Amino acid sequence: MIFEDLPTTPTSEELIDKAFSRAARSGNAKSGLEAQQSMLQTAANIMSDNLENVVTAWPDFEYDVDPFYYELADAILDVSIAHSDGSGDDEPTTGVDALRQSLSQVSWAGRKTREIHEEYQSRLRKTDIDTARKHRQQAFARLADIVEQVDEHLRLINDARNELRDLPEINADEPTIVVAGYPNVGKSSLVNDVTNARGETDSYPFTTTGIGLGHFERDHIRYQIVDTPGLLDRPPQERNEIESQAVSALEHLADCVLVLLDPSGECGYPIESQLELRDAIEDQFENVPVLTIGNKADRSRDVEAEYYMSVETGENVETVLEAAIEAISYEPELPFDG
């Protein structure tokens, strides 16, 4: 997953301590002007390299992050930190925008540490040892000040890393069927029945239950089938703002939505409420095929649906899957053969 291997981001204090302690060791190995130059070069290189590595470890959200993960990340990053634009007017920035601004500030700090290094190294070459020591101390103070200025941004970046690294691993490039409907209508049973999904569960950070994720193949094409408890199992008005944004992210992932209904009423929700949820999902996923499936057909078919099935008995399950595959009409990219 794109955020899984992000490294821990150091705080300003950790970075300064690391740089100066390494610099002291390098200075002890030399003497005179050479020692002062070595200390400055070591400290500046450690600071600039670490700051640049913080930035380059992250993918480019504009070009490298699939829209599904972009919106999901934006939903999860509930940070709200005022970033100054230099005009004196601070406006709160949230989500991915706040993260990108923090990465930009850290990138700036990396450049500044290199500039300070270049400025003071030229001074150290043209002076006596006592003056060189003073210049090196001044450089250290300025380097520390630059790193301390971005401490808030370093902490925000590390918080974002901790929140995003545990996102469920879903392949946004694979054709995907999303299963929706009220609890107990048979969604997880369907996912488990048609795939090897048992145990393939993980949680979005903002839901209390794990998603169901499975895979199956048809004609050498692998399909994902996803159940999202906590998101598409209740009406939109019952979702909080973050959950609503996560549903918007699912619009980028879903190639087909199966809305399961339980006309038997055993799920505990009246069929009228189930149909209202179906209508809301159709409105939300207006650019995606949405199929209405009457499950538990061995007990009741007292609802108008496009297909009827029973996961428990296996009746028409394959028919429903084939209908979803046909609705997706996925065409794999073939190599150009001239």
Side-chain angles (χ1 to χ4, degrees), residues 206-241:
F206 43 80
T207 62
T208 57
T209 52
I211 66 167
L213 171 64
H215 306 88
F216 65 92
E217 285 194 7
R218 290 293 186 279
D219 299 325
H220 306 292
I221 298 173
R222 193 168 96 143
Y223 293 83
Q224 290 179 138
I225 182 166
V226 181
D227 174 23
T228 57
L231 293 178
L232 293 174
D233 62 353
R234 61 186 189 274
Q237 61 269 23
E238 295 182 14
R239 302 175 195 140
N240 62 38
E241 184 176 350

Side-chain angles (χ1 to χ4, degrees), residues 144-157:
D145 180 63
I146 291 296
V147 176
E148 287 170 352
Q149 285 184 48
V150 295
D151 182 67
E152 176 185 276
H153 300 287
L154 291 169
R155 292 178 184 275
L156 185 150
I157 292 167

Side-chain angles (χ1 to χ4, degrees), residues 88-159:
D89 296 324
D90 289 346
E91 295 183 358
T93 308
T94 60
V96 168
D97 285 342
L99 172 59
R100 293 174 73 176
Q101 287 194 23
S102 287
L103 290 169
S104 177
Q105 289 298 309
V106 171
S107 180
W108 165 84
R111 294 193 301 271
K112 288 296 294 183
T113 56
R114 289 202 179 277
E115 291 173 7
I116 292 170
H117 172 231
E118 293 171 2
E119 175 186 344
Y120 279 88
Q121 279 290 30
S122 63
R123 296 184 186 183
L124 294 182
R125 287 192 292 266
K126 305 173 183 178
T127 188
D128 58 81
I129 182 60
D130 290 333
T131 305
R133 186 177 292 108
K134 291 178 182 178
H135 284 326
R136 191 267 303 162
Q137 291 170 345
Q138 290 173 359
F140 271 24
R142 289 183 59 186
L143 288 170
D145 180 63
I146 291 296
V147 176
E148 287 170 352
Q149 285 184 48
V150 295
D151 182 67
E152 176 185 276
H153 300 287
L154 291 169
R155 292 178 184 275
L156 185 150
I157 292 167
N158 197 56
D159 288 344

Side-chain angles (χ1 to χ4, degrees), residues 43-74:
N45 284 349
I46 288 176
M47 288 182 179
S48 59
D49 288 349
N50 276 265
L51 292 169
E52 289 170 6
N53 289 340
V54 166
V55 177
T56 57
W58 284 83
D60 187 313
F61 276 88
E62 185 173 354
Y63 299 105
D64 300 331
V65 179
D66 185 89
F68 166 68
Y69 276 117
Y70 186 107
E71 288 209 30
L72 205 56
D74 201 41

